[in-house]
Amino acid sequence: RLVSALADAAAVATGKDGAMRLRFMPGAIELTATDLVTELTQTVEAKESLVDDECLVNAKRFLDLCKAFSDQDVDLDLESESSLSLVCGSSSMQLAVTNADSYPCSTAGRPTTLHRLETDEISSLIGQVKYAVGKDETRISLTGVFFKWVDDAIELCATDGHRLASAKLAAVGSCGETGVTIPARGVEQLRRFMAGENEINLGWAGSMMVASKEGSTLAIRLYDDKYPNYKQAIPATIEDAPSVDREALIEALKRTLPLTAELSRLVRLTFDNDSVEITHQTVDVGSSREDMPCNCIKACAFAVNVKYLLDALNSCQSERVELSQSDPLAPILVCGFKNSSVVHVIMPMRG
């Protein structure tokens, strides 16, 4: 249990010195690690009572030492303000530590409302939208995932301004309408926190999102910037939109990708007569043309960044996908066949 907790702490304690706070309590050890975006607090039971005290220790170095002892019991003793003793059988080691008074800790209080959520569903939703998270630090709100609780559903959205991914999940309970933006770093730590669990508790406390499970609490500092109104960027679904086998389309686009220009990555898709034609031509690079079957009632065509389209297709979980565009200048909508719970929006290109 200690090794597992230390591994999780080391993944969070990514600062310059990789330090985490080690707090000794009667019958337990509390481990706290932070990267200033997320803070992970874990409690590990101790077989013997420990004197109340605390220190800062390098998380990875402490983890490596405990791993070396395998599953054997280890006696820990904070001998002084600068030394932590580890004794296991005939082995005795001293690990350098520092004072914990200056360690940064979040001000997250107890969440006013906690909701019990199934981790598989939430993790799946995050995985389907996170590819669209922006990288531009001048638009800080777009560098995270927007998490919104509306009535009895949870909505997630990510966008970089050129493409967008949105997913919705029915949820038990409601907290009115709450929307928060989780930094990308916090999203990854949340997925790690959920791994191996069936359910977690999730709530808000001030400017923090708080997730909890037995013996562990994860606090994530949220962005203050207002998230843009992403709903207006999502076009309405079109009845009888062309549909195609997702895996087959992915393979065809992968064959086209090496011939596209690095700056634009443009390809053109033309749907007509139950087939889709994928074409591309770049001066001094080459050209390509490939036909594959599809279900198409009304002919349509659009040009798109092939890497953006591949990202959307790879995050889909349906065997067939629908691709539609209401007019030549409108965004391209990609979603599962007859399933709009997860949608992907890509801005079209001229070509």
Side-chain angles (χ1 to χ4, degrees), residues 16 37 71 122 133 148 161 178 296 309 312 332 336:
K16 183 178 179 180
V37 173
D71 294 329
I122 293 296
V133 169
K148 188 175 184 180
T178 304
C296 178
L309 182 53
I332 300 159

Side-chain angles (χ1 to χ4, degrees), residues 18-250:
M20 70 171 186
R21 186 179 68 187
L22 201 61
R23 182 184 174 195
F24 299 100
M25 305 179 295
I29 302 173
E30 183 183 83
L31 293 75
T32 302
T34 183
D35 58 7
L36 301 183
V37 173
T38 59
E39 179 182 288
L40 177 65
T41 302
Q42 304 171 92
T43 302
V44 180
E45 291 185 3
K47 290 186 176 180
E48 297 181 12
S49 295
L50 301 170
V51 178
D52 278 327
D53 212 340
E54 61 182 15
C55 66
L56 296 185
V57 61
N58 182 281
K60 188 177 185 309
R61 192 171 296 124
F62 191 22
L63 170 62
D64 291 341
L65 280 175
C66 290
K67 279 183 176 179
F69 293 132
S70 300
D71 294 329
Q72 302 177 68
D73 290 344
V74 179
D75 292 328
L76 302 177
D77 182 21
L78 191 57
E79 295 183 337
S80 67
E81 291 185 354
S82 60
S83 179
L84 175 65
S85 170
L86 293 84
V87 178
C88 179
S90 60
S91 300
S92 178
M93 302 179 181
Q94 279 72 43
L95 184 61
V97 297
T98 56
N99 191 287
D101 291 344
S102 62
Y103 194 67
C105 293
S106 74
T107 56
R110 186 176 181 83
T112 54
T113 305
L114 280 174
H115 299 274
R116 195 74 175 165
L117 302 176
E118 293 186 5
T119 57
D120 286 347
E121 294 179 331
I122 293 296
S123 184
S124 175
L125 256 62
I126 292 174
Q128 292 180 78
V129 305
K130 69 184 183 69
Y131 76 88
V133 169
K135 304 288 193 299
D136 185 358
E137 295 295 335
T138 64
R139 305 179 71 185
I140 194 69
S141 65
L142 300 188
T143 63
V145 173
F146 187 63
F147 190 110
K148 188 175 184 180
W149 198 304
V150 182
D151 298 327
D152 57 353
I154 296 172
E155 295 181 10
L156 273 69
C157 180
T159 180
D160 61 5
H162 302 286
R163 56 207 175 150
L164 177 151
S166 176
K168 181 184 290 187
L169 171 71
V172 178
S174 171
C175 58
E177 182 169 328
T178 304
V180 297
T181 306
I182 311 172
R185 173 72 177 166
V187 171
E188 290 304 316
Q189 291 297 346
L190 179 60
R191 292 190 81 189
R192 181 184 177 90
F193 185 78
M194 293 188 293
E197 300 292 324
N198 294 323
E199 294 180 324
I200 62 165
N201 293 311
L202 197 64
W204 288 266
S207 62
M208 310 289 287
M209 171 182 276
V210 181
S212 64
K213 59 185 181 182
E214 186 177 357
S216 302
T217 300
L218 178 70
I220 305 172
R221 192 173 302 280
L222 305 170
Y223 284 145
D224 294 328
D225 297 54
K226 184 178 180 180
Y227 203 77
N229 182 7
Y230 65 94
K231 291 284 190 180
Q232 64 184 11
I234 302 177
T237 56
I238 297 177
E239 188 175 354
D240 298 322
S243 67
V244 63
D245 181 273
R246 184 177 67 90
E247 289 292 344
L249 181 56
I250 287 174

Side-chain angles (χ1 to χ4, degrees), residues 320-343:
R320 295 187 67 80
V321 292
E322 295 180 347
L323 299 94
S324 61
Q325 186 183 37
S326 58
D327 64 69
L329 298 179
I332 300 159
L333 182 67
V334 182
C335 59
F337 183 64
K338 303 300 182 183
N339 179 8
S340 59
S341 61
V342 181
V343 298

